[in-house]
Amino acid sequence: LDKPPSRILASRGPFGHESANNKGYEKSGLKITCNLIPLPENPTENPGWGAYYTSLKKGQEYFDASRFGHLSFWIRGENGDEKIQIGLVDKQRDESGKFGDIGPIEAYTQRGMIDKEWQKVKIPLDLFQVNPAELNQVLIVIDGAAFDKIAPRTITVYLDDLAFE
C-alpha cells in the first residue's frame, strides 16, 4: 500500500451478531468506518486506505494459533457494497515492521460478497503464509484500490466473534 492512509474510526458497542456463541451480542460488536479520500494533488487516483488491527501478543509472548485451521468472524456492511482485506502479522513480519499477508475476503463469505446481512467468514490459516505459532496481529484493511469507481467514499463494516477455529 503505497498511498497515505485515509481516516479510520473503530468503536465497540451494540453492533454484535446474535449468534449462539455470542450471548452478550448487544454489547460486543465492532464498527469500523473508513473515509477514503483522494489526494488533492492527484484526485484521479484511487483514494487512500485505512487499517484496523487487533493485537494478539501478550507482553513479549506471541499468540500460538498452530492448533487451529481457520480465522473466522461474522461481518456485515452498512450499504452492502463494502470490500475489505484481511491479514495476519507474525513474529517475523512484526520485527521487520511490515504488514502481514493481505487478501480480499469475498471468496470466504457465505454469499461471495459483503452485504447488509450478517454472515460468517471462515478463512484457512495456511493462506496467510505466516507462522501460526507466533502471531502478533489481525489486520482489517480497507483499500480504495478495491473499488472500480474513483471517488471519495465512506466504508462501514461491522465485525463480531473474531476467533481462531
Side-chain angles (χ1 to χ4, degrees), residues 12-94:
R12 293 204 175 276
F15 312 116
H17 177 262
E18 194 174 339
S19 71
N21 295 333
N22 191 8
K23 303 295 185 212
Y25 71 91
E26 66 279 355
K27 298 177 185 171
S28 67
L30 180 66
K31 177 182 180 181
I32 300 172
T33 300
C34 182
N35 295 316
L36 296 172
I37 303 166
L39 298 173
E41 63 272 14
N42 197 350
T44 60
E45 282 196 26
N46 286 314
W49 60 276
Y52 169 83
Y53 71 92
T54 185
S55 181
L56 303 172
K57 197 170 146 182
K58 289 185 179 176
Q60 296 301 310
E61 188 176 329
Y62 290 88
F63 180 74
D64 183 359
S66 60
R67 67 183 186 274
F68 302 105
H70 295 86
L71 173 68
S72 70
F73 52 93
W74 287 86
I75 192 167
R76 76 174 180 87
E78 181 83 16
N79 297 315
D81 61 352
E82 295 79 9
K83 297 177 191 293
I84 69 166
Q85 298 174 335
I86 191 149
L88 295 175
V89 177
D90 63 5
K91 180 180 180 181
Q92 179 182 355
R93 293 176 190 278
D94 183 36

Side-chain angles (χ1 to χ4, degrees), residues 82-152:
E82 295 79 9
K83 297 177 191 293
I84 69 166
Q85 298 174 335
I86 191 149
L88 295 175
V89 177
D90 63 5
K91 180 180 180 181
Q92 179 182 355
R93 293 176 190 278
D94 183 36
E95 290 173 350
S96 70
K98 296 181 180 178
F99 280 93
D101 290 331
I102 295 171
I105 70 157
E106 286 80 16
Y108 305 100
T109 61
Q110 294 168 321
R111 293 182 289 279
M113 63 183 285
I114 299 171
D115 56 24
K116 292 181 176 185
E117 302 298 319
W118 284 107
Q119 59 185 312
K120 189 169 185 177
V121 176
K122 192 171 180 180
I123 305 171
L125 287 179
D126 59 0
L127 295 180
F128 292 100
Q129 299 177 0
V130 295
N131 180 354
E134 296 180 317
L135 294 180
N136 181 32
Q137 297 171 340
V138 176
L139 300 168
I140 309 295
V141 178
I142 300 170
D143 184 3
F147 298 92
D148 295 332
K149 184 179 175 192
I150 298 168

